[in-house]
Every structure is written in C-alpha cells, then in structure tokens.
Amino acid sequence: MKKSGRFDLVVTLLALSLSVMTSIAIAGPASESATSATILVYHRFGPVVADSMTVTTAVFASQLKYLHDNGYTVVPLHDVVNFAAGHGELPPRAVAISADDGHRTVFSDMAPLVERYRIPVTLFIYPSAISNASYAMTWEQLAELKATGLFSVESHTYWHPNFHIEKRRLSAEDYWKFVDSQLNKSRQVLERRLGGHVTMLSWPFGIYDDELIAAATKSGYVAAFSIERRKVSRGDNVMALPRFIVTDGDVGQRFQSLLPARTPITSR
C-alpha cells in the first residue's frame, strides 16, 4: 500500500508538471507591447488630387486595406494620449487616425470606408466653417457621423487662425484675449451642438509654444496635436503630440515608412 501510494503520488506530480508545461507552451510569451505609435492626419478626399492636402478616395481605401491586411490595429486617439502619458499599453503596430478641418468629403468619401472597416477616427473641427463654408460639412452631417460611434469630434480652435500672424498684429492684451476666445468658443460651440465633452485640440498650422500650451491647459484641454512628422513615444508631451500629414503620394513604401515597424515573427 505504501509503495502504491508513493507511486500514485509521483504519477500525479508528473501529470501536474506536464499540464503546467503544456499550458505555458500553448500560451507562449506575454503579449508584445508597443514602443511607439503613429498618428495619421487627413484633410480632404476626392476622385482626383485637387491640392496638396487631397488624398484620393482610392488611395485612402488602399491605405486602410493595407493596415487591415498587415496586422496593424487602429486605436482611439485617446489611447495614444494615455500611452504617451505613461498610462496603459498599446498593441504592437498601433495607428490612430484623425482628420482636420471638417471638409465635406470627410462625410461623403471618408465615412463609408471608416464604417466598412469599423475603425475609430477623431475629427478636429473649427466650428465657424460648419454649415457656413461651401467646403465644409453641416452640423447635421457631423451629428450623423458622431452617432455612428466611430467618429469623435474635438477642437481645431474656432476659426483656424495663424497664431504667429495674430501675435504680430495684436497688442499683447488683445492677443491673449483672442487666444482664449479661439480655445474656449470652439469647445463651447461643439459641446452645445453635438453634446459630450471636448478635451483635445489640434493646433492650427501646427503652431504652438509654451505659452499657448499653458493657455490650452488652463482652458481645459488635456491633449493637443501638432504636425511634426514622427511617431509618438512614451513620455512625449501630450500637449504637442506629433502626427503625419498624409498625402496622395503616401502609397507603398512611403506609406509603410509612416507606420510602426513590424516585429518579425520568430519560430519557437
């Protein structure tokens, strides 16, 4: 009985050991985390290139297909903000997509492809153009996009000023009144028209400095974005996170160069 009991114990321990080893083999190594992320910014779309900021709809479709087919994950923009601030992780090959200005082709050309791939997109809007400028979306169109749950709407100031020009043109007192108006009025109008809370800002023309960052922070913005052409790394200033402006020429290797590097898969 004693020998049999010892034998049964050895068999049980061996079985448990094999079970643990098998579980480890199936699970493999811990999931890889991102060391950087890419934020892309678009402006307008169409069948042909009308200007340097136009991405043809066919090229945009090919870019989304490439991301989908090659293991990239399109994440909400606020996830990249959290990553830069040191909070939370991103999946490897993380990409965030934004669009500035509120051009009508965001509704007509961009939105159907976004809905096809079910990806999150952040729109940075300057409200003075909406339902006013011939090139811009209407408030009804913006509300329809937001209602899909795929589009979030954030601020691009009230009427997209060049802060360098305004600083030269205005007295110091008037300039800071102007800055406060541009930052606060945009957020107030967007929240009143569309609901929710506006907490992120796209710097017009990518112009910012320490004083503007301080003003935006005081106004209640928790993140802001430039057009510096580099990837986002952990520890970057969340009030000046870099983005790549996408053009129609960003196809093939040029588009791939904007994205986080693909980690080769090693055999085990």
Short mmCIF file of all heavy atoms in Angstrom, two decimals, residues 87-132:
data_model
loop_
_atom_site.label_atom_id
_atom_site.label_comp_id
_atom_site.label_asym_id
_atom_site.label_seq_id
_atom_site.Cartn_x
_atom_site.Cartn_y
_atom_site.Cartn_z
N HIS A 87 0.37 55.90 -19.18
CA HIS A 87 -0.74 55.15 -18.59
C HIS A 87 -1.24 54.11 -19.59
O HIS A 87 -1.72 54.47 -20.67
CB HIS A 87 -1.90 56.08 -18.22
CG HIS A 87 -1.48 57.25 -17.39
ND1 HIS A 87 -0.83 57.11 -16.18
CD2 HIS A 87 -1.62 58.58 -17.59
CE1 HIS A 87 -0.60 58.30 -15.67
NE2 HIS A 87 -1.04 59.21 -16.50
N GLY A 88 -1.14 52.84 -19.26
CA GLY A 88 -1.65 51.81 -20.14
C GLY A 88 -0.70 51.47 -21.27
O GLY A 88 0.31 52.15 -21.51
N GLU A 89 -1.06 50.42 -21.99
CA GLU A 89 -0.25 49.92 -23.09
C GLU A 89 -1.03 50.01 -24.40
O GLU A 89 -2.26 50.16 -24.39
CB GLU A 89 0.15 48.46 -22.85
CG GLU A 89 0.92 48.21 -21.56
CD GLU A 89 2.32 48.79 -21.61
OE1 GLU A 89 2.82 49.02 -22.72
OE2 GLU A 89 2.90 49.02 -20.53
N LEU A 90 -0.33 49.93 -25.49
CA LEU A 90 -0.93 49.84 -26.81
C LEU A 90 -0.54 48.52 -27.45
O LEU A 90 0.53 47.97 -27.15
CB LEU A 90 -0.45 50.98 -27.71
CG LEU A 90 -0.96 52.38 -27.41
CD1 LEU A 90 -0.25 53.39 -28.30
CD2 LEU A 90 -2.47 52.47 -27.62
N PRO A 91 -1.37 47.99 -28.35
CA PRO A 91 -0.95 46.80 -29.08
C PRO A 91 0.20 47.14 -30.01
O PRO A 91 0.37 48.30 -30.39
CB PRO A 91 -2.21 46.41 -29.87
CG PRO A 91 -2.97 47.69 -30.01
CD PRO A 91 -2.70 48.46 -28.75
N PRO A 92 1.01 46.15 -30.37
CA PRO A 92 2.07 46.45 -31.34
C PRO A 92 1.46 46.92 -32.65
O PRO A 92 0.36 46.53 -33.02
CB PRO A 92 2.78 45.10 -31.50
CG PRO A 92 1.78 44.08 -31.05
CD PRO A 92 0.96 44.74 -29.99
N ARG A 93 2.19 47.81 -33.33
CA ARG A 93 1.73 48.35 -34.62
C ARG A 93 0.41 49.11 -34.47
O ARG A 93 -0.51 48.93 -35.25
CB ARG A 93 1.65 47.25 -35.68
CG ARG A 93 2.97 46.53 -35.90
CD ARG A 93 2.97 45.71 -37.17
NE ARG A 93 2.11 44.56 -37.12
CZ ARG A 93 2.44 43.39 -36.60
NH1 ARG A 93 3.62 43.23 -36.04
NH2 ARG A 93 1.60 42.38 -36.63
N ALA A 94 0.36 49.98 -33.45
CA ALA A 94 -0.84 50.79 -33.20
C ALA A 94 -0.83 52.05 -34.06
O ALA A 94 0.19 52.74 -34.16
CB ALA A 94 -0.94 51.16 -31.73
N VAL A 95 -1.97 52.35 -34.65
CA VAL A 95 -2.14 53.52 -35.51
C VAL A 95 -3.43 54.23 -35.08
O VAL A 95 -4.45 53.58 -34.83
CB VAL A 95 -2.24 53.12 -36.99
CG1 VAL A 95 -2.51 54.35 -37.87
CG2 VAL A 95 -0.97 52.41 -37.44
N ALA A 96 -3.38 55.55 -34.99
CA ALA A 96 -4.59 56.35 -34.76
C ALA A 96 -4.82 57.23 -35.97
O ALA A 96 -3.86 57.69 -36.61
CB ALA A 96 -4.46 57.20 -33.50
N ILE A 97 -6.08 57.47 -36.30
CA ILE A 97 -6.43 58.24 -37.49
C ILE A 97 -7.23 59.47 -37.08
O ILE A 97 -8.18 59.39 -36.29
CB ILE A 97 -7.24 57.38 -38.48
CG1 ILE A 97 -6.36 56.26 -39.02
CG2 ILE A 97 -7.79 58.22 -39.62
CD1 ILE A 97 -7.07 55.31 -39.97
N SER A 98 -6.84 60.61 -37.64
CA SER A 98 -7.55 61.86 -37.39
C SER A 98 -7.77 62.58 -38.71
O SER A 98 -7.12 62.28 -39.72
CB SER A 98 -6.77 62.76 -36.42
OG SER A 98 -5.49 63.09 -36.94
N ALA A 99 -8.70 63.54 -38.70
CA ALA A 99 -8.94 64.37 -39.88
C ALA A 99 -9.23 65.78 -39.39
O ALA A 99 -10.09 65.99 -38.53
CB ALA A 99 -10.10 63.84 -40.70
N ASP A 100 -8.52 66.75 -39.95
CA ASP A 100 -8.67 68.15 -39.54
C ASP A 100 -9.60 68.92 -40.47
O ASP A 100 -9.70 68.61 -41.67
CB ASP A 100 -7.30 68.84 -39.54
CG ASP A 100 -6.45 68.47 -38.33
OD1 ASP A 100 -6.86 67.57 -37.56
OD2 ASP A 100 -5.37 69.06 -38.16
N ASP A 101 -10.27 69.92 -39.92
CA ASP A 101 -10.97 70.98 -40.65
C ASP A 101 -12.47 70.75 -40.83
O ASP A 101 -13.24 71.70 -40.81
CB ASP A 101 -10.36 71.27 -42.03
CG ASP A 101 -8.93 71.76 -41.95
OD1 ASP A 101 -8.49 72.15 -40.85
OD2 ASP A 101 -8.24 71.75 -42.99
N GLY A 102 -12.91 69.53 -41.08
CA GLY A 102 -14.34 69.30 -41.30
C GLY A 102 -14.78 69.45 -42.73
O GLY A 102 -15.92 69.87 -43.01
N HIS A 103 -13.92 69.08 -43.68
CA HIS A 103 -14.28 69.15 -45.10
C HIS A 103 -15.45 68.22 -45.42
O HIS A 103 -15.58 67.15 -44.83
CB HIS A 103 -13.06 68.80 -45.95
CG HIS A 103 -13.17 69.24 -47.37
ND1 HIS A 103 -13.75 68.48 -48.36
CD2 HIS A 103 -12.77 70.39 -47.98
CE1 HIS A 103 -13.70 69.12 -49.51
NE2 HIS A 103 -13.10 70.29 -49.31
N ARG A 104 -16.28 68.62 -46.36
CA ARG A 104 -17.48 67.83 -46.67
C ARG A 104 -17.15 66.42 -47.16
O ARG A 104 -17.95 65.50 -47.02
CB ARG A 104 -18.32 68.56 -47.72
CG ARG A 104 -17.64 68.75 -49.07
CD ARG A 104 -18.57 69.44 -50.08
NE ARG A 104 -17.93 69.56 -51.39
CZ ARG A 104 -17.18 70.57 -51.76
NH1 ARG A 104 -16.97 71.57 -50.93
NH2 ARG A 104 -16.61 70.60 -52.96
N THR A 105 -15.93 66.23 -47.74
CA THR A 105 -15.58 64.90 -48.23
C THR A 105 -15.26 63.92 -47.10
O THR A 105 -15.18 62.72 -47.33
CB THR A 105 -14.38 64.98 -49.19
OG1 THR A 105 -13.30 65.68 -48.54
CG2 THR A 105 -14.76 65.70 -50.48
N VAL A 106 -15.09 64.43 -45.88
CA VAL A 106 -14.99 63.52 -44.74
C VAL A 106 -16.30 62.74 -44.62
O VAL A 106 -16.30 61.53 -44.34
CB VAL A 106 -14.69 64.30 -43.44
CG1 VAL A 106 -14.88 63.43 -42.22
CG2 VAL A 106 -13.27 64.86 -43.49
N PHE A 107 -17.42 63.43 -44.86
CA PHE A 107 -18.73 62.78 -44.80
C PHE A 107 -18.99 61.91 -46.03
O PHE A 107 -19.43 60.77 -45.91
CB PHE A 107 -19.82 63.84 -44.67
CG PHE A 107 -21.20 63.27 -44.50
CD1 PHE A 107 -21.66 62.90 -43.24
CD2 PHE A 107 -22.05 63.11 -45.59
CE1 PHE A 107 -22.94 62.37 -43.08
CE2 PHE A 107 -23.32 62.59 -45.43
CZ PHE A 107 -23.77 62.21 -44.18
N SER A 108 -18.69 62.44 -47.20
CA SER A 108 -19.06 61.73 -48.43
C SER A 108 -18.09 60.62 -48.81
O SER A 108 -18.50 59.58 -49.33
CB SER A 108 -19.15 62.73 -49.60
OG SER A 108 -17.89 63.36 -49.83
N ASP A 109 -16.79 60.81 -48.55
CA ASP A 109 -15.79 59.86 -49.03
C ASP A 109 -15.11 59.06 -47.92
O ASP A 109 -14.89 57.86 -48.06
CB ASP A 109 -14.70 60.60 -49.82
CG ASP A 109 -15.22 61.18 -51.13
OD1 ASP A 109 -16.30 61.78 -51.14
OD2 ASP A 109 -14.53 61.03 -52.14
N MET A 110 -14.77 59.74 -46.84
CA MET A 110 -14.06 59.05 -45.76
C MET A 110 -14.98 58.14 -44.96
O MET A 110 -14.63 56.99 -44.66
CB MET A 110 -13.41 60.08 -44.82
CG MET A 110 -12.57 59.47 -43.72
SD MET A 110 -12.00 60.68 -42.50
CE MET A 110 -10.52 59.88 -41.90
N ALA A 111 -16.14 58.65 -44.59
CA ALA A 111 -17.02 57.92 -43.67
C ALA A 111 -17.42 56.53 -44.17
O ALA A 111 -17.41 55.58 -43.37
CB ALA A 111 -18.26 58.76 -43.37
N PRO A 112 -17.80 56.34 -45.45
CA PRO A 112 -18.17 54.99 -45.86
C PRO A 112 -17.05 53.96 -45.68
O PRO A 112 -17.32 52.80 -45.32
CB PRO A 112 -18.51 55.17 -47.36
CG PRO A 112 -18.93 56.60 -47.47
CD PRO A 112 -18.03 57.34 -46.51
N LEU A 113 -15.80 54.37 -45.89
CA LEU A 113 -14.68 53.44 -45.71
C LEU A 113 -14.41 53.20 -44.23
O LEU A 113 -14.08 52.08 -43.82
CB LEU A 113 -13.44 54.00 -46.40
CG LEU A 113 -13.51 53.96 -47.93
CD1 LEU A 113 -12.42 54.84 -48.54
CD2 LEU A 113 -13.37 52.53 -48.43
N VAL A 114 -14.55 54.22 -43.41
CA VAL A 114 -14.40 54.06 -41.97
C VAL A 114 -15.45 53.08 -41.44
O VAL A 114 -15.15 52.20 -40.62
CB VAL A 114 -14.52 55.42 -41.26
CG1 VAL A 114 -14.67 55.25 -39.75
CG2 VAL A 114 -13.31 56.29 -41.59
N GLU A 115 -16.67 53.21 -41.93
CA GLU A 115 -17.73 52.31 -41.49
C GLU A 115 -17.51 50.89 -42.01
O GLU A 115 -17.84 49.91 -41.33
CB GLU A 115 -19.08 52.86 -41.93
CG GLU A 115 -19.45 54.15 -41.21
CD GLU A 115 -20.83 54.66 -41.55
OE1 GLU A 115 -21.67 53.85 -42.00
OE2 GLU A 115 -21.08 55.86 -41.39
N ARG A 116 -16.94 50.75 -43.19
CA ARG A 116 -16.65 49.42 -43.71
C ARG A 116 -15.65 48.69 -42.82
O ARG A 116 -15.82 47.51 -42.51
CB ARG A 116 -16.09 49.50 -45.13
CG ARG A 116 -15.74 48.13 -45.72
CD ARG A 116 -14.97 48.25 -47.03
NE ARG A 116 -15.71 49.00 -48.03
CZ ARG A 116 -15.21 49.33 -49.23
NH1 ARG A 116 -13.96 48.99 -49.54
NH2 ARG A 116 -15.93 50.01 -50.09
N TYR A 117 -14.61 49.39 -42.39
CA TYR A 117 -13.57 48.76 -41.58
C TYR A 117 -13.84 48.87 -40.07
O TYR A 117 -13.10 48.28 -39.29
CB TYR A 117 -12.21 49.37 -41.91
CG TYR A 117 -11.67 48.90 -43.25
CD1 TYR A 117 -11.84 49.65 -44.40
CD2 TYR A 117 -11.00 47.68 -43.36
CE1 TYR A 117 -11.36 49.21 -45.63
CE2 TYR A 117 -10.49 47.24 -44.58
CZ TYR A 117 -10.68 48.01 -45.70
OH TYR A 117 -10.19 47.57 -46.93
N ARG A 118 -14.87 49.65 -39.69
CA ARG A 118 -15.26 49.78 -38.28
C ARG A 118 -14.07 50.23 -37.42
O ARG A 118 -13.70 49.61 -36.44
CB ARG A 118 -15.83 48.46 -37.74
CG ARG A 118 -16.95 47.85 -38.55
CD ARG A 118 -18.15 48.77 -38.68
NE ARG A 118 -18.77 49.09 -37.39
CZ ARG A 118 -19.76 49.96 -37.24
NH1 ARG A 118 -20.22 50.64 -38.30
NH2 ARG A 118 -20.28 50.18 -36.05
N ILE A 119 -13.49 51.35 -37.81
CA ILE A 119 -12.31 51.87 -37.10
C ILE A 119 -12.64 53.22 -36.47
O ILE A 119 -13.47 53.97 -36.99
CB ILE A 119 -11.10 52.01 -38.05
CG1 ILE A 119 -11.46 52.87 -39.27
CG2 ILE A 119 -10.56 50.65 -38.46
CD1 ILE A 119 -10.31 53.20 -40.16
N PRO A 120 -11.99 53.57 -35.36
CA PRO A 120 -12.23 54.87 -34.73
C PRO A 120 -11.46 55.99 -35.44
O PRO A 120 -10.31 55.81 -35.85
CB PRO A 120 -11.70 54.67 -33.31
CG PRO A 120 -10.62 53.64 -33.46
CD PRO A 120 -11.08 52.72 -34.56
N VAL A 121 -12.10 57.14 -35.56
CA VAL A 121 -11.49 58.32 -36.18
C VAL A 121 -11.83 59.55 -35.33
O VAL A 121 -12.96 59.68 -34.85
CB VAL A 121 -12.00 58.53 -37.62
CG1 VAL A 121 -11.53 59.88 -38.18
CG2 VAL A 121 -11.53 57.39 -38.52
N THR A 122 -10.86 60.43 -35.15
CA THR A 122 -11.08 61.69 -34.44
C THR A 122 -11.10 62.84 -35.43
O THR A 122 -10.16 63.00 -36.21
CB THR A 122 -10.00 61.93 -33.37
OG1 THR A 122 -10.04 60.87 -32.42
CG2 THR A 122 -10.23 63.25 -32.66
N LEU A 123 -12.17 63.62 -35.40
CA LEU A 123 -12.29 64.79 -36.25
C LEU A 123 -11.97 66.04 -35.44
O LEU A 123 -12.54 66.26 -34.36
CB LEU A 123 -13.71 64.91 -36.81
CG LEU A 123 -14.24 63.70 -37.58
CD1 LEU A 123 -15.68 63.97 -38.05
CD2 LEU A 123 -13.35 63.35 -38.76
N PHE A 124 -11.07 66.87 -35.94
CA PHE A 124 -10.75 68.15 -35.32
C PHE A 124 -11.43 69.25 -36.14
O PHE A 124 -11.11 69.45 -37.32
CB PHE A 124 -9.25 68.36 -35.23
CG PHE A 124 -8.59 67.49 -34.20
CD1 PHE A 124 -7.92 66.34 -34.57
CD2 PHE A 124 -8.67 67.81 -32.86
CE1 PHE A 124 -7.31 65.53 -33.61
CE2 PHE A 124 -8.07 67.02 -31.89
CZ PHE A 124 -7.39 65.86 -32.27
N ILE A 125 -12.36 69.95 -35.51
CA ILE A 125 -13.28 70.84 -36.22
C ILE A 125 -13.10 72.28 -35.76
O ILE A 125 -12.97 72.55 -34.56
CB ILE A 125 -14.74 70.42 -35.94
CG1 ILE A 125 -14.99 68.96 -36.40
CG2 ILE A 125 -15.73 71.38 -36.59
CD1 ILE A 125 -14.80 68.74 -37.87
N TYR A 126 -13.08 73.23 -36.73
CA TYR A 126 -13.23 74.63 -36.33
C TYR A 126 -14.66 75.05 -36.68
O TYR A 126 -15.07 75.09 -37.83
CB TYR A 126 -12.16 75.54 -36.94
CG TYR A 126 -11.99 75.58 -38.42
CD1 TYR A 126 -12.58 76.59 -39.18
CD2 TYR A 126 -11.18 74.65 -39.08
CE1 TYR A 126 -12.39 76.67 -40.55
CE2 TYR A 126 -10.98 74.72 -40.45
CZ TYR A 126 -11.59 75.72 -41.18
OH TYR A 126 -11.39 75.78 -42.54
N PRO A 127 -15.47 75.33 -35.66
CA PRO A 127 -16.92 75.45 -35.84
C PRO A 127 -17.37 76.57 -36.75
O PRO A 127 -18.48 76.50 -37.29
CB PRO A 127 -17.42 75.68 -34.40
CG PRO A 127 -16.36 75.12 -33.52
CD PRO A 127 -15.07 75.37 -34.24
N SER A 128 -16.57 77.63 -36.90
CA SER A 128 -17.02 78.75 -37.72
C SER A 128 -17.34 78.33 -39.15
O SER A 128 -18.15 78.97 -39.83
CB SER A 128 -15.96 79.85 -37.74
OG SER A 128 -14.78 79.41 -38.37
N ALA A 129 -16.70 77.25 -39.62
CA ALA A 129 -16.93 76.81 -41.01
C ALA A 129 -18.16 75.93 -41.17
O ALA A 129 -18.75 75.87 -42.26
CB ALA A 129 -15.70 76.05 -41.50
N ILE A 130 -18.55 75.23 -40.11
CA ILE A 130 -19.60 74.22 -40.22
C ILE A 130 -20.95 74.88 -40.52
O ILE A 130 -21.38 75.81 -39.85
CB ILE A 130 -19.68 73.39 -38.92
CG1 ILE A 130 -18.32 72.76 -38.61
CG2 ILE A 130 -20.77 72.32 -39.03
CD1 ILE A 130 -17.75 71.89 -39.71
N SER A 131 -21.59 74.37 -41.58
CA SER A 131 -22.86 74.89 -42.10
C SER A 131 -22.74 76.32 -42.62
O SER A 131 -23.76 76.97 -42.90
CB SER A 131 -23.98 74.83 -41.04
OG SER A 131 -24.40 73.51 -40.83
N ASN A 132 -21.50 76.80 -42.78
CA ASN A 132 -21.27 78.14 -43.32
C ASN A 132 -20.45 78.11 -44.59
O ASN A 132 -20.87 78.63 -45.63
CB ASN A 132 -20.58 79.03 -42.28
CG ASN A 132 -21.50 79.44 -41.16
OD1 ASN A 132 -22.67 79.73 -41.40
ND2 ASN A 132 -20.99 79.48 -39.94
#
